[in-house]
Amino acid sequence: MALTDAVLIGLIAAMMLFALYEDAIVPRRNGAITLRVTLRRRHKIDSAIFIG
């Protein structure tokens, strides 16, 4: 196995561990997100811009 293969395998493993850390450990450590912001429309024409 060449050095390039080892580096690629190492980077892939590191990314997988980071994804696992983000999905499993961080939500339990920081708790649930309870912030909610309600958005309000300013003008009816604004919605037409996004639709059209």
Side-chain angles (χ1 to χ4, degrees), residues 22-35:
E22 282 286 317
D23 285 342
I25 297 172
V26 170
R28 291 182 183 164
R29 193 178 75 184
N30 293 338
I33 297 173
T34 58
L35 177 66

Side-chain angles (χ1 to χ4, degrees), residues 4 10-11 16-18 23 33 44 46 48:
T4 305
L11 287 174
M16 289 178 73
L17 287 174
F18 179 74
D23 285 342
I33 297 173
K44 297 281 185 187
D46 290 340

